[in-house]
């Protein structure tokens, strides 16, 4: 079995202190490739450096909406430069977070639109972080998201109706361990309607360990098997078949080799 953790933060503490151990446990569990996601200029640089050092690891470059306030024109130029490094497979995470509002909303909008332009220019797909901002995220994508290679809504926790609208535009939907949580029936309803060729699995670690290991901290890629098994059950599928299908989806989206070399 081969799974891909399509959204993790291996540059974050405490994972970054034990990357070799994290990778070893992950491979043993069947999660053999990783997309480590950049959240700031420095973090994107660290993600690309880390990916270079590890087989099966890829990086993305992005400035999280939380950090939008710090992103001036120079930062965006530098982000674009980092996006041309080897093993960079997407732009993001980017989007709108109107739950925390750590950056002012106009800054978040401006930086989100800038990311879409960089992704278009670099011909890379985009990882969207959208929290309490679904309608406006869709508006911006409708207005400024033309010509993108691909779009994924990561850590999706919207309704089935919202998932349907995402799918109608040809976008992808990615689920974290949140889908396993007791109170996440709405997210499960969304997961039920997402076809396997648009569905990806992620940890978003070090956060949000899935059930039944929710109390285990930090979350790490090895634990993604619980989310994958849960989703396979939701789809009434064997784990092997679910893993094969969603790994193919992720490989297509991020333009990775279709079979892992390990
Ligand atoms: Zn996010
Ligand atoms: Zn993330």
């Amino acid at each position: 079995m081969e799974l891909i953790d399509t959204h993790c933060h291996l540059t974050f503490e405490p994972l970054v202190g034990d990357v070799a151990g994290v990778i070893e446990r992950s491979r043993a569990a069947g999660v053999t490739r990783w997309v480590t996601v950049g959240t700031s200029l420095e973090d994107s640089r660290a993600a690309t450096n880390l990916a270079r050092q590890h087989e099966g690891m890829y990086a993305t470059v992005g400035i999280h909406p939380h950090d939008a306030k710090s992103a001036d024109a120079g930062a965006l130029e530098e982000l674009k430069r980092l996006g041309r490094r080897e093993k960079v497979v997407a732009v993001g995470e980017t989007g709108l977070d109107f739950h925390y509002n750590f950056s002012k909303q106009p800054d978040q909008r401006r930086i989100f639109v800038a990311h879409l332009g960089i992704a278009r220019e670099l011909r890379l797909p985009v990882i969207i972080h959208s929290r309490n901002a679904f309608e406006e995220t869709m508006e911006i994508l409708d207005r400024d998201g033309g010509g993108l290679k691909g779009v994924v809504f990561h850590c999706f926790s919207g309704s089935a109706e919202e998932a349907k609208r995402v799918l109608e535009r040809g976008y992808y939907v990615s689920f974290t361990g949140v889908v396993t949580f007791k109170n996440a029936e709405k997210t499960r309803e969304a997961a039920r309607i997402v076809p396997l060729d648009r569905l990806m699995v992620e940890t978003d670690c070090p956060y949000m360990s899935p059930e039944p290991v929710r109390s285990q901290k930090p979350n790490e890629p090895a634990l993604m098997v619980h989310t994958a098994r849960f989703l396979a059950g939701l789809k009434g599928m064997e784990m092997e078949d679910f893993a094969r299908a969603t790994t193919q989806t992720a490989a297509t989206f991020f333009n990775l080799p279709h079979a892992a070399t390990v």
Side-chain angles (χ1 to χ4, degrees):
M1 188 185 71
E2 193 232 355
L3 288 160
I4 301 173
D5 186 346
T6 63
H7 187 122
C8 51
H9 297 285
L10 301 181
T11 56
F12 285 16
E13 297 287 354
L15 301 176
V16 69
D18 180 28
V19 173
V22 165
I23 285 178
E24 192 182 315
R25 290 188 291 279
S26 184
R27 284 205 176 114
V31 182
T32 57
R33 291 189 279 180
W34 314 270
V35 178
T36 192
V37 171
T39 56
S40 69
L41 212 47
E42 297 87 289
D43 186 50
S44 298
R45 195 175 292 120
T48 61
N49 287 338
L50 195 66
R52 277 178 180 170
Q53 291 163 32
H54 299 282
E55 191 180 349
M57 192 184 295
Y58 303 89
T60 77
V61 298
I63 298 170
H64 196 283
H66 290 342
D67 269 319
K69 55 181 174 298
S70 70
D72 55 18
L76 291 164
E77 269 311 307
E78 176 62 13
L79 191 73
K80 198 197 298 182
R81 243 191 318 277
L82 289 173
R84 297 190 204 274
R85 286 188 171 186
E86 59 181 310
K87 296 183 91 176
V88 172
V89 294
V91 170
E93 50 188 298
T94 182
L96 303 171
D97 194 316
F98 295 170
H99 178 75
Y100 289 107
N101 283 312
F102 287 156
S103 288
K104 291 198 181 77
Q105 295 186 359
D107 281 333
Q108 294 192 39
R109 290 187 192 98
R110 176 173 58 81
I111 295 309
F112 181 22
V113 172
H115 277 70
L116 298 179
I118 291 172
R120 194 161 30 240
E121 191 174 336
L122 299 181
R123 302 190 57 73
L124 290 171
V126 184
I127 298 175
I128 303 288
H129 171 108
S130 175
R131 189 136 184 226
N132 282 15
F134 181 76
E135 292 301 334
E136 189 159 355
T137 301
M138 292 298 270
E139 272 170 38
I140 289 178
L141 283 167
D142 284 347
R143 194 177 62 231
D144 299 304
L148 293 169
K149 290 284 278 181
V151 174
V152 61
F153 275 66
H154 110 90
C155 194
F156 192 81
S157 56
S159 65
E161 194 50 46
E162 287 167 347
K164 214 174 129 216
R165 289 171 56 195
V166 168
L167 294 168
E168 277 166 4
R169 285 164 172 78
Y171 302 158
Y172 291 64
V173 183
S174 178
F175 294 96
T176 59
V178 166
V179 73
T180 69
F181 294 174
K182 205 169 163 214
N183 62 358
E185 190 49 44
K186 187 179 78 165
T187 306
R188 281 187 281 283
E189 279 170 20
R192 284 191 188 93
I193 68 144
V194 179
L196 294 173
D197 63 357
R198 300 282 196 81
L199 187 153
M200 295 194 273
V201 192
E202 61 170 295
T203 55
D204 205 13
C205 63
Y207 315 115
M208 289 185 298
S209 301
E211 294 289 0
V213 291
R214 191 170 174 180
S215 59
Q216 190 173 322
K217 290 196 173 80
N219 189 13
E220 61 176 56
L223 303 184
M224 202 186 80
V225 290
H226 297 288
T227 307
R229 193 171 295 123
F230 183 92
L231 284 164
L234 206 64
K235 297 285 190 189
M237 294 177 73
E238 295 295 329
M239 174 73 157
E240 288 284 328
D241 297 331
F242 177 84
R244 195 176 309 113
T246 54
T247 294
Q248 189 173 332
T249 302
T252 301
F253 182 83
F254 291 108
N255 197 24
L256 310 180
H258 272 263
T261 50
V262 286

